Amino acid sequence: MKLFKTLVVLIIGFNLSCSNKTTETIKISPETHLKSAEKQLALLLEAAENANRIPRTLNKEGDIHWTRPKFDWTEGFFPGSCWYLFEQTKDEKWKIAAEKFQTMFENHKFITDNHDLGFVFNCSYGNGYRLTNNEAFKHIMITAADSLLTRFNPNVGCIKSWDVNAGWQAKRGWKFPVIVDNMMNLELLFKVSEFTKDPKYKDAALIHANTTIKNHFRDDNSSVHVVDYDPETGEVRGKYAAQGYADESSWARGQAWGLYGYTVCYRFTKDQKYLAQAEKIANYILNFEGLPKDGIPYWDYHAPNIPNEPRDVSAAAITVSALMELNDYSNHSFIDAIDKIMTSLASNDYTAEFGENKHFILKHSVGSIPHGNEIDVPLNYADYYYLEALGRYKTMALKN
Ligand code: GLY
């Protein structure tokens, strides 16, 4: 795209002082923002080294909240961010950090009571293997995929998301809940089928993706958060909100996970059905009437008190990273949307000043409003997908 090229040429050497301007007028340089992100995360790394813990978010007192050592679905993102910084800077310090922090949860590869192994091991060890070809990382990913596969139920055609015998999930009367987020666990399975030449991982991933297309999506291509199945018959028992506002509403991060997940399905299969699904989700997100002008969604598209509702920057970071991959596959051009969201994320509205925000990169994300957790805070996964997006943006700029 000529326009994109001109833009990138114009911003080379552009001073960071531009970030004082409004989001509409900033034209961002991926290199500049990667540099600032690295400076900021170097401080977060220092804090993590001192605590010997993995940072997740901030608590109500404004201090760093660390991942739970037992298991935490977000534990892979901080080492994943270190891998992205190693990729961009080639500075060994980031490789050493990534390895150190992912080793802290290596043993979780045996866990079978949680579906988030795909998130955890693909974002950490998956990036590590991609960048270093370390065979040990590959074997850890295979073990994690084997553990994840124990949750696949052929009657349902899905991987079970949450166990229902404990925690808040136990109070909902569900039998076999599957959340749209679970689409993000499939990338690990696709990769492990490639490593092992055993199709069983990919086959389960495809059945899961097909069942999810059938039951999670509404006529307008938005997605419900939770579909509960009968584990014996595979019948749908009900469709519900968990982290979103209402059963019929569109939880922002859920839409982003679906978009990213089907884009990945297309990457591994080249099946047009997945490309079409990803495009439909992208169009739902980008054409949603109440989407704010800067492209950063409220935490739920149907949140009751818009415009007085928190934004969810994590949803925007996941969305824009997925759009950059989808843009390569799709006849639709998502470049304008990509430019807009990246410009917004890189602005002072959403990127913290150096040394602030307890050294997380992005501000204003939401974990779960219905659970009263992590409201208007930084989140390690917002930073992870933003770093991924900056890397992809840099590649896009070089290609155009
Ligand atoms: N379950 C992942 C999320 O909160 O988006």
Side-chain angles (χ1 to χ4, degrees), residues 33-34 37-38 40-42 44 55-58 77-78 80-82 84-85 312-318 321 342 345 350-352 356-365 377-391:
H33 289 281
L34 277 164
E38 189 202 2
Q40 180 81 332
L41 278 201
L44 187 61
R56 169 173 169 147
T57 180
L58 299 187
F77 294 117
F78 181 67
S81 291
C82 295
Y84 280 137
L85 288 175
D312 183 9
V313 162
S314 75
I318 298 155
S321 185
M342 288 304 285
L345 289 176
Y350 301 106
T351 291
E356 296 190 352
N357 208 31
K358 291 280 176 191
H359 320 312
F360 288 89
I361 305 166
L362 295 175
K363 308 178 276 188
H364 303 315
S365 289
V377 287
L379 289 167
N380 61 10
Y381 45 98
D383 287 0
Y384 171 88
Y385 288 101
Y386 180 55
L387 285 173
E388 181 179 85
L390 282 170

Side-chain angles (χ1 to χ4, degrees), residues 73 115-116 119 162 179 181 225 243 251 253-254 257 318 367 381:
W73 80 272
H115 74 143
D116 287 318
F119 269 117
W162 292 323
I179 60 176
D181 327 24
H225 190 193
Q243 284 156 266
W251 174 49
R253 198 161 57 251
W257 292 141
I318 298 155
Y381 45 98

